[in-house]
Amino acid sequence: MYKILLGQMEPPDDVTPDFIRDGMSEVGSTAQQALERRNLLRAFIPDAKDALEEVDVLKKETLTEIDKQMGRKEASPGGNINKLLNRLLGCQVDIQSQIFSYFTALQDAEIKLAKANGTYDDCGIIKPHGESIAFRKKEIIYQDEYSGMCTYHAEFQIDRGMNYDAAVKVLQQERKEDPDTQCGFFRQVVDHNQRTYYVLALPRDAQGRKLKTKRSKSGRIESRAAYYRIVRPAAGFSSDDMSSDKFHHIYTSIKESASLKVHWNEELKADSHRNRRQSLQLITGSILQILPTIAGQLRTHKLQVMRVESTDGKHQEIGLYLNNKDGTKVLDKVRMALQLVSLGGSSQPLGVPWGSARVI
């Protein structure tokens, strides 16, 4: 994306972010639509470049003639994904959303190509999965007096459950990417109540990434899972991976079957509220300038950037994730800290519903 914004690379014709697609006319020939798409991208690129330069993502070092004579080279702009996501929170909300949309569209295209070539590496970017994700609310919790830029609290409700057919699709995708994968369905029988619990287990390496199966010259599988990522009917993807030793001590392998489908979906229906439906809370919008204040209230938690999109596709947010265990309590602390920051005079009271504030 950096090369595209800097004019070092032409935008790929097969990547169209949502905001460009939404801005295009529904009528017209294929050639006319292609031209309209190019014009909209050309209008977006300089704005995106300026925005990322302001937050030092595309800051480019300027060398003097002496530097050049000494053989120094200009440092490449940009950085890793974490830097982009963190600095992106410092951009104005409208362009932030557009840059993120373009970034994810390019990333999805890269992943699709990498999967087709067998070179895809799961880098662990947080994106929640479940039966459904519903947008609940978005409210302003801070507005800078001088710039007018806002920080928001966004909340979604996720149904973390996963029915049997969806679990099978996850398994099939794993097998498509790695025919020798060790993933599959397993069961646990609890002695004291004679209940049986079912899971889908996805092998991971020592770094928690997707395990890439390797074979010796004789054809024997050499790679072994260090951990397993667990998918349960009522709780979906687990937040923590389980060590391989512990996993194999608890679970035994089973094959897909009609009987398993019945048991899996029965477990899903039996726990329709307690584990399945949870709140996802994010701090979004303009964050960079007040990040030290926010981080001070999240000091007991790992700062995690999460991307959440509602099932209906109408709402997408990127921001700092507040964990489910005590997200409301931490949010209250953040509100109090930001209230102190705003005592110098804020043009916008806190807790105002999204849409009623002036956003620049």
Side-chain angles (χ1 to χ4, degrees):
M1 182 176 75
Y2 299 140
K3 290 183 178 180
I4 294 172
L5 299 185
L6 291 171
Q8 300 171 1
M9 175 181 171
E10 286 296 317
D13 293 332
D14 58 345
V15 177
T16 305
D18 290 340
F19 73 92
I20 294 291
R21 188 176 289 107
D22 292 342
M24 293 174 59
S25 303
E26 296 182 0
V27 296
S29 65
T30 301
Q32 288 173 328
Q33 290 186 338
L35 178 61
E36 185 178 15
R37 175 189 170 280
R38 283 195 296 270
N39 289 337
L40 289 172
L41 268 178
R42 285 172 181 167
F44 156 73
I45 286 174
D47 291 341
K49 177 176 177 288
D50 291 344
L52 291 183
E53 284 178 344
E54 288 181 3
V55 293
D56 288 341
V57 172
L58 289 181
K59 186 176 182 179
K60 193 171 183 180
E61 181 182 14
T62 303
L63 300 182
T64 64
E65 286 300 321
I66 295 178
D67 290 328
K68 295 177 181 178
Q69 292 173 11
M70 293 177 63
R72 288 190 59 199
K73 296 182 178 180
E74 292 180 345
S76 299
N80 59 31
I81 292 176
N82 287 337
K83 178 181 177 181
L84 169 65
L85 295 180
N86 285 321
R87 295 296 179 90
L88 194 57
L89 299 173
C91 297
Q92 294 183 12
V93 176
D94 289 345
I95 192 66
Q96 174 192 115
S97 176
Q98 292 180 355
I99 293 172
F100 183 69
S101 178
Y102 193 43
F103 167 74
T104 53
L106 290 169
Q107 183 187 52
D108 290 344
E110 287 288 330
I111 290 174
K112 183 178 180 180
L113 179 62
K115 285 182 176 180
N117 295 334
T119 58
Y120 176 60
D121 182 17
D122 180 7
C123 59
I125 297 176
I126 301 174
K127 183 180 179 183
H129 298 273
E131 285 277 275
S132 64
I133 299 177
F135 174 78
R136 296 186 68 180
K137 64 179 181 179
K138 184 176 181 180
E139 62 181 4
I140 297 171
I141 59 175
Y142 176 76
Q143 183 173 24
D144 182 78
E145 178 184 9
Y146 300 101
S147 68
M149 296 174 66
C150 297
T151 305
Y152 303 91
H153 164 236
E155 185 176 357
F156 294 78
Q157 185 178 66
I158 181 171
D159 182 344
R160 298 175 59 213
M162 181 178 292
N163 63 45
Y164 180 77
D165 291 338
V168 170
K169 287 183 180 179
V170 173
L171 176 59
Q172 290 173 340
Q173 184 63 37
E174 293 273 331
R175 288 174 174 170
K176 181 180 178 181
E177 296 172 9
D178 181 2
D180 295 322
T181 182
Q182 301 162 37
C183 70
F185 287 100
F186 294 78
R187 69 181 176 187
Q188 173 195 16
V189 178
V190 179
D191 292 335
H192 70 85
N193 61 8
Q194 290 300 303
R195 286 196 60 182
T196 302
Y197 298 92
Y198 300 91
V199 300
L200 173 65
L202 313 176
R204 295 294 183 259
D205 62 18
Q207 286 72 46
R209 295 187 174 186
K210 187 175 295 185
L211 182 69
K212 296 179 179 178
T213 305
K214 296 180 181 178
R215 288 184 176 271
S216 64
K217 292 182 179 179
S218 62
R220 182 171 56 88
I221 294 179
E222 294 182 328
S223 49
R224 291 290 181 269
Y227 299 94
Y228 282 91
R229 188 154 299 168
I230 310 299
V231 182
R232 295 181 173 87
F237 285 86
S238 60
S239 57
D240 297 314
D241 296 340
M242 184 181 295
S243 70
S244 180
D245 291 342
K246 181 178 180 181
F247 176 81
H248 287 293
H249 179 72
I250 296 175
Y251 294 98
T252 56
S253 177
I254 56 175
K255 294 184 179 295
E256 302 101 284
S257 65
S259 175
L260 173 59
K261 179 175 182 176
V262 171
H263 293 311
W264 182 282
N265 287 337
E266 282 179 348
E267 188 174 336
L268 174 67
K269 293 176 183 178
D271 198 350
S272 59
H273 294 286
R274 183 169 58 89
N275 285 330
R276 286 177 57 180
R277 289 174 174 81
Q278 291 188 354
S279 173
L280 282 179
Q281 301 190 62
L282 304 177
I283 298 176
T284 72
S286 177
I287 291 180
L288 191 62
Q289 291 185 348
I290 55 174
L291 187 59
T293 302
I294 296 173
Q297 306 307 314
L298 302 177
R299 59 183 178 273
T300 58
H301 308 280
K302 179 182 178 182
L303 288 178
Q304 295 178 314
V305 177
M306 178 179 283
R307 167 191 172 191
V308 182
E309 183 175 3
S310 60
T311 304
D312 60 14
K314 294 181 179 179
H315 299 276
Q316 179 175 271
E317 297 290 339
I318 175 175
L320 297 178
Y321 169 59
L322 303 178
N323 67 41
N324 291 323
K325 184 178 180 181
D326 50 5
T328 301
K329 181 172 66 176
V330 173
L331 178 64
D332 288 341
K333 290 183 178 180
V334 170
R335 286 180 185 275
M336 292 179 64
L338 294 179
Q339 186 73 58
L340 293 175
V341 172
S342 67
L343 284 178
S346 174
S347 59
Q348 180 65 40
L350 306 183
V352 177
W354 177 45
S356 60
R358 178 175 60 89
V359 180
I360 299 177

